[in-house]
Amino acid sequence: AFLRCTFTANTADDGGAAAFAALDTCTLSSNTASGHGGALYACAATRCVLRDNTALFGGAAFSSALANALLTRNTAAQSGGGLYNGTATNCTLVANTAADAGGGLWGGTAVNTLFYANTAAAGADHTDASALLYSRSAPLAAGTGNTAALPRFRNADSGDYSLLSHSPCANAGLSAAAPPGTDLNGNPRVQGTAVEIGAYELDPSVIDYYGFEQWLHRNGLPIEPQTQFSLDHDSDGIPN
């Protein structure tokens, strides 16, 4: 098993960084596989960051079990920009790319997992063969508890994909399916009424108000992330 390790710029036919291994709190970046799994092949990885890895199938990982992991900017020359088959539980997959299908996930299963801004010729976030539960993707996936609402990251431009307190992904997961232990940042789960969708747990004592939300809060008006720009809050006949 690997604990708190860094794997960078490794190459292999399958599993550019590791194969048939268990990893916890590791960072895997810029690894390459000519075949399957740019970083991981048939691995179990918890609280890991997989970034800028490339492969033919499974840019970040192939047939692996991932939990509390962030997969971002990975690329598959064929399918599965983030993960090809395998499972993702309380993971965040952002800005992964596949030339063919499944920019985020090809096949496989995702629970409490957040997909955003992944790209592919077919199935940008995931393929039709993927099974999602209590997860965020666009368009809305079939399955219980799924959402297509904007996730409202804290600072996506700087790579911070933790959630703002008013994110529709907050308290929206299936707590019974949450992985044991802490989230990707080392924070305990579950802290709110339910586990978050994605790799990061929210501290319920932190309340975020920005811009228009701050105005709503000052004026005692409800903060509704999905409708706040279409509701007529002040009854003047103009949505605002």
Side-chain angles (χ1 to χ4, degrees), residues 60-230:
F62 183 92
S63 292
S64 294
L66 309 179
N68 288 324
L70 171 65
L71 286 70
T72 184
R73 303 197 310 262
N74 302 286
T75 302
Q78 288 288 332
S79 299
L83 173 63
Y84 189 102
N85 278 334
T87 61
T89 306
N90 279 102
C91 294
T92 297
L93 290 84
V94 177
N96 302 287
T97 302
D100 187 8
L105 173 65
W106 190 99
T109 302
V111 181
N112 297 342
T113 289
L114 197 164
F115 298 87
Y116 184 74
N118 301 288
T119 58
D125 278 336
H126 58 85
T127 59
D128 291 341
S130 305
L132 273 63
L133 292 173
Y134 293 88
S135 294
R136 187 276 166 197
S137 66
L140 179 65
T144 303
N146 293 324
T147 179
L150 290 174
R152 299 168 65 81
F153 296 122
R154 185 164 298 279
N155 193 342
D157 289 343
S158 68
D160 182 356
Y161 298 111
S162 61
L163 303 174
L164 292 172
S165 58
H166 298 302
S167 168
C169 296
N171 302 311
L174 179 63
S175 296
T182 60
D183 73 352
L184 182 57
N185 279 343
N187 299 312
R189 293 197 190 268
V190 176
Q191 296 192 49
T193 57
V195 72
E196 267 65 77
I197 293 175
Y200 303 95
E201 188 74 5
L202 273 172
D203 180 348
S205 67
V206 176
I207 304 298
D208 302 297
Y209 297 112
Y210 291 96
F212 185 58
E213 288 175 350
Q214 192 173 54
W215 180 87
L216 290 171
H217 178 61
R218 282 201 308 267
N219 289 276
L221 297 169
I223 296 173
E224 303 173 53
Q226 298 311 301
T227 58
Q228 63 189 32
F229 291 102
S230 60

